[in-house]
Amino acid sequence: MTGIHEIRYTLEHRMLPGWLYGEGQRLTELLTERPLFVYEVLCDILKKEELENPYRGEDFETERICADSSVDEKITVLKLTLPEPEDAPLCYRIYMIYNDGFTHVGYFTVEKGNGPVADDRHFLCSWDLQMHLNHGCCLPEEELQRVLALYRQGQ
């Protein structure tokens, strides 16, 4: 991976999950108020490292999804769509999922793999502060339902 890809990896796999598990409510507010927040952070890091930014703001998207409402809790998903990953294991998408009290938080990535066929090129993973779990291949149309199922299982 090049310097830019190492920076992107660190943002996707270290910084964002760290912020979510450390200051989740503030991070999700920023992402909701400023949908290009991840792009802005990446721009700042690349500028500090004196690297040219190959990405554009329109390559990034933040979507807020109210995934589940029950008598006891409301579950919200923030879906971050990122630029097409150049290398494995950079992310196509990130799903941040949380309940109203931020007592149950999940961070999921859809990562580029090195498989020989198109279906093998998307892997669904979950992260916490100590561990990364690979949940196997995932088609784009299955992502949200699989993320919700893993979240409900305590992943």
Side-chain angles (χ1 to χ4, degrees):
M1 283 196 283
T2 66
I4 292 170
H5 298 151
E6 289 170 10
I7 289 168
R8 186 170 159 184
Y9 177 88
T10 300
L11 177 63
E12 295 170 357
H13 297 90
R14 301 284 183 257
M15 292 174 70
L16 288 173
W19 284 340
L20 181 66
Y21 289 109
E23 298 179 57
Q25 192 162 2
R26 181 66 187 131
L27 176 61
T28 58
E29 287 170 359
L30 282 169
L31 288 166
T32 301
E33 293 166 7
R34 295 169 40 199
L36 292 179
F37 178 71
V38 172
Y39 174 69
E40 294 166 5
V41 170
L42 183 60
C43 287
D44 288 347
I45 295 169
L46 292 173
K47 183 176 181 180
K48 187 181 283 188
E49 294 295 321
E50 299 181 354
L51 293 170
E52 188 174 329
N53 188 347
Y55 308 114
R56 303 167 311 183
E58 53 265 19
D59 296 330
F60 294 77
E61 183 181 337
T62 301
E63 179 182 0
R64 188 170 190 263
I65 304 165
C66 186
D68 190 28
S69 290
S70 68
V71 175
D72 296 329
E73 73 176 350
K74 179 177 138 191
I75 297 171
T76 302
V77 178
L78 285 181
K79 176 184 173 183
L80 310 179
T81 302
L82 305 171
E84 182 79 18
E86 297 87 356
D87 297 316
L90 298 180
C91 299
Y92 291 98
R93 279 165 296 288
I94 295 170
Y95 291 87
M96 297 179 187
I97 184 169
Y98 52 92
N99 64 359
D100 270 351
F102 281 85
T103 56
H104 184 193
V105 177
Y107 186 89
F108 298 87
T109 55
V110 179
E111 302 175 10
K112 182 173 185 166
N114 291 319
V117 296
D119 291 351
D120 292 336
R121 296 180 143 319
H122 294 78
F123 289 92
L124 178 62
C125 301
S126 59
W127 295 78
D128 63 23
L129 292 175
Q130 290 95 27
M131 191 169 37
H132 165 254
L133 293 173
N134 186 329
H135 300 283
C137 297
C138 186
L139 296 172
E141 59 271 14
E142 300 171 343
E143 292 171 6
L144 182 58
Q145 292 309 314
R146 287 194 53 199
V147 164
L148 287 169
L150 289 166
Y151 175 82
R152 288 183 181 114
Q153 294 168 11
Q155 296 289 321

